[in-house]
Amino acid sequence: MLQTKRSYGGMVTAPHHLAAQAGLAVLAEGGNAIEAMIASAATIAVVYPHMNGLGGDSFWLVGRAGSAPVGIQACGRAAMAAYRAWYRERGCSSIPSRGPLAALTVAGTVDGWQKAYELSRNSHGGRLPLARLLEPAIHYAEDGVAVTRTLHDNIVNKRPELQDVPGFAEVYLPQGAPPPVGARLRQTRVAETLRRLAKAGLSDFYRGDLARAMASDLERVGSPLRLADLERHQASLVTPLSVGVAGHKVFNMPPPTQGLASLLILALYARRMAGEADGADHLHRLVECTKAAFRVRNRHVTDPDYMTRAAADYLSEASLAALHDTISNTRAAPWPDRPRQGDTVWLAATDRTGLSVSFIQSVYWEFGSGVILPESGVTWQNRGTSFSLGETDTNRLDPGRLPFHTIQPAMAELDDGRLIAFGTMGGEGQPQTQAAIFTRYALHGQELQSAITAPRWLLGRTWGEENNNLKIESRFDPTVIDRLRALGHDIQVSGPFEEFMGHAGAIVWHPDGLLEGASDPRSDGVVAAR
């Protein structure tokens, strides 16, 4: 069984062990948590390419105990040519989920690395050169990495819908078949792209030779993105949302992410806490709080420029009280509501000074659009499929609009001064897993690793399934499952450790400098510490 890791000199957790080790090496050289995270983010883009990459988006929370964290919003807007009529003219009643027409938003994550690099140097004493931070990613892209079980399985499962997408088969179907587990996967074009960024600077991705090459490739394969869309992109510093939860303060990203839903779940649960973690009351109340939060999310959360009410308003005492009154302790509310999908990586780093980073990076669905650009080797995201072609929908497609994002990193300062960075991949499951981790650890006193290893649940649709019922890992006590059914929940019992439940992790900084870390047994990750 995994145990909570403890140390004093710095810590990184990631869903792939090589990414965690890359960040730890930076800490060992005197780098700070932001520098460590840049190294880990670039590395995991290479070693977990089905979950994230240079062609995706990311969000950051950076902070210390005693002060509010800073958010970095590194998500791209829709192409200026991506009109609803443009898609209808091509015979689309909805935005395709795969292929060039799914590659309609700018990839924002690389400029997020740049914004974080500037924040590190300007505010946190960062001193390591960019080339050093990208060095591990370049090495693994060129020398190769061992294909993981999750990468192999995703290639096999997604082959029917991706094998004809431009560039996919060349990388992931060598000799016409998925590479076996343990095979060496080399990404030489990605290595050269990273070298170019290390030499020319990260802005070359948007306003340099690399940008021009990618824009040409995108246009050639049929995407609506153009060079001007890349040149227009800028990551930005944002103020996180926050809410009090039983004396603790929890932070998350503002729209266009679903961070509001994560905060709503916890704030609502704190008003009706159960006495025992992982009992039927604990799960029932969290699931019902999730339903209430998701209804707010689905009706209101979009590009903040299009919202008629500020997201923070939904976290006011009056709004929470009104929403709380819609939740029953004794009966499950009807479900489903509209689902969201996603595939992602979450990572955290904390250095010996207490500077902490909660970070998430994604290409949306596994392999994103599936489009792999011929010159750069960049796999482009399909985040734009979260847009709708309906004229009155909350997340209607408009040129230059930010898409809705399932991804959102979390951070919390506990009432005794501890600072916790936590999160997970998993689309619809992200707010639910964040709620499981936080309530188990901060509200019910479970040990950190136990809070992540313990069985989880997911309300909503998962990969490859149409049903929106409540999925529960089989390790829960059968009496808990029976009690939930009696309360009216439509339950599907899954395997004991399901990947669709997310790859979660957490790092806790204590005021005396102790660090605690946990990683998810459902992933290929570790806690790397010194």
Side-chain angles (χ1 to χ4, degrees):
M1 174 182 286
L2 291 176
Q3 301 295 326
T4 300
K5 303 300 187 292
R6 295 177 175 87
S7 73
Y8 287 94
M11 186 173 283
V12 181
T13 185
H16 193 287
H17 56 98
L18 294 177
Q21 292 162 10
L24 184 67
V26 167
L27 294 180
E29 293 177 27
N32 63 33
I34 300 173
E35 293 172 319
M37 187 53 68
I38 294 171
S40 293
T43 299
I44 205 161
V46 171
V47 301
Y48 242 31
H50 54 309
M51 296 286 187
N52 76 125
L54 300 175
D57 286 341
S58 65
F59 296 91
W60 300 64
L61 288 177
V62 180
R64 298 180 187 273
S67 59
V70 173
I72 299 176
Q73 177 178 289
C75 57
R77 296 180 180 272
M80 295 306 292
Y83 289 91
R84 296 187 296 282
W86 188 88
Y87 279 89
R88 294 194 191 100
E89 289 166 3
R90 285 154 179 78
C92 301
S93 57
S94 62
I95 296 171
S97 59
R98 304 292 196 179
L101 297 185
L104 73 146
T105 60
V106 174
T109 198
V110 172
D111 203 48
W113 301 353
Q114 175 64 33
K115 190 67 69 174
Y117 189 67
E118 294 168 1
L119 180 65
S120 168
R121 295 215 151 200
N122 295 336
S123 302
H124 298 284
R127 58 179 181 80
L128 294 182
L130 178 64
R132 166 62 189 90
L133 304 183
L134 299 185
E135 184 180 280
I138 294 169
H139 167 74
Y140 292 124
E142 185 165 65
D143 192 58
V145 294
V147 171
T148 60
R149 169 61 61 186
T150 177
L151 175 55
H152 170 81
D153 288 350
N154 273 284
I155 296 171
V156 171
N157 294 336
K158 302 304 173 183
R159 178 177 182 174
E161 61 193 274
L162 292 173
Q163 62 186 356
D164 295 326
V165 174
F168 183 84
E170 180 183 354
V171 175
Y172 294 114
L173 299 172
Q175 290 81 50
V181 175
R184 189 186 295 264
L185 175 67
R186 289 187 172 94
Q187 301 167 78
T188 55
R189 290 174 297 170
V190 174
E192 185 53 39
T193 294
L194 287 164
R195 271 201 196 88
R196 183 183 302 183
L197 292 172
K199 182 177 180 180
L202 296 172
S203 63
D204 198 63
F205 194 93
Y206 302 95
R207 289 167 285 279
D209 291 341
L210 178 58
R212 287 184 280 274
M214 292 192 304
S216 177
D217 284 346
L218 284 162
E219 182 174 4
R220 190 176 298 112
V221 300
S223 164
L225 285 165
R226 298 294 181 266
L227 178 60
D229 296 310
L230 298 178
E231 291 175 333
R232 191 178 297 112
H233 175 75
Q234 291 281 348
S236 58
L237 298 181
V238 296
T239 301
L241 296 174
S242 64
V243 70
V245 176
H248 314 300
K249 194 161 190 179
V250 188
F251 302 91
N252 213 302
M253 294 297 293
T257 81
Q258 64 173 338
L260 173 63
S262 291
L263 297 181
L264 284 172
I265 294 170
L266 290 173
L268 291 169
Y269 177 78
R271 291 169 173 261
R272 53 181 61 231
M273 284 175 55
E276 179 183 354
D278 298 331
D281 286 342
H282 179 215
L283 269 66
H284 169 75
R285 294 177 190 189
L286 279 176
V287 169
E288 295 309 295
C289 292
T290 298
K291 292 175 183 176
F294 279 7
R295 289 191 177 102
V296 172
R297 178 199 68 182
N298 291 351
R299 292 169 186 163
H300 302 289
V301 174
T302 184
D303 182 333
D305 290 344
Y306 290 77
M307 291 177 65
T308 58
R309 184 179 173 189
D313 290 352
Y314 296 99
L315 297 169
S316 70
E317 280 300 309
S319 292
L320 289 170
L323 198 57
H324 174 267
D325 288 343
T326 69
I327 299 170
S328 171
N329 282 346
T330 59
R331 195 68 189 164
W335 200 253
D337 216 14
R338 185 169 61 180
R340 312 278 189 178
Q341 289 181 293
D343 221 335
T344 305
V345 291
W346 176 88
L347 305 86
T350 301
D351 60 34
R352 65 183 307 122
T353 73
L355 180 66
S356 295
V357 176
S358 183
F359 171 81
I360 198 159
Q361 188 165 263
S362 176
V363 288
Y364 200 27
W365 294 12
E366 50 280 282
F367 303 106
S369 68
V371 172
I372 301 178
L373 303 183
E375 183 167 338
S376 63
V378 171
T379 301
W380 214 265
Q381 66 183 353
N382 66 336
R383 181 61 61 175
T385 61
S386 64
F387 284 124
S388 167
L389 297 182
E391 297 295 327
T392 60
D393 286 357
T394 303
N395 286 288
R396 164 186 92 235
L397 174 63
D398 288 300
R401 185 169 181 167
L402 290 172
F404 171 84
H405 271 270
T406 52
I407 64 174
Q408 24 88 34
M411 188 174 282
E413 185 168 2
L414 305 189
D415 60 2
D416 61 3
R418 284 174 290 169
L419 184 71
I420 175 171
F422 63 108
T424 182
M425 62 80 123
E428 189 90 339
Q430 286 184 42
Q432 301 176 64
T433 295
Q434 288 183 11
I437 295 168
F438 186 84
T439 58
R440 285 167 169 164
Y441 177 78
L443 304 185
H444 294 290
Q446 281 191 8
E447 192 171 318
L448 188 64
Q449 183 62 59
S450 296
I452 288 172
T453 301
R456 293 207 287 265
W457 63 91
L458 188 149
L459 177 71
R461 193 172 70 182
T462 65
W463 298 272
E465 295 191 22
E466 294 302 319
N467 55 340
N468 287 271
N469 56 8
L470 179 61
K471 297 160 188 68
I472 293 182
E473 288 183 330
S474 59
R475 290 177 294 129
F476 274 108
D477 187 325
T479 62
V480 170
I481 296 174
D482 290 344
R483 172 63 178 152
L484 290 171
R485 285 194 169 116
L487 290 169
H489 294 279
D490 176 14
I491 289 178
Q492 175 183 331
V493 179
S494 68
F497 288 94
E498 292 284 4
E499 185 175 51
F500 66 69
M501 294 291 178
H503 294 169
I507 295 177
V508 178
W509 175 87
H510 292 248
D512 66 355
L514 174 68
L515 298 173
E516 293 183 300
S519 63
D520 202 321
R522 301 165 184 83
S523 75
D524 296 285
V526 297
V527 175
R530 61 186 304 268

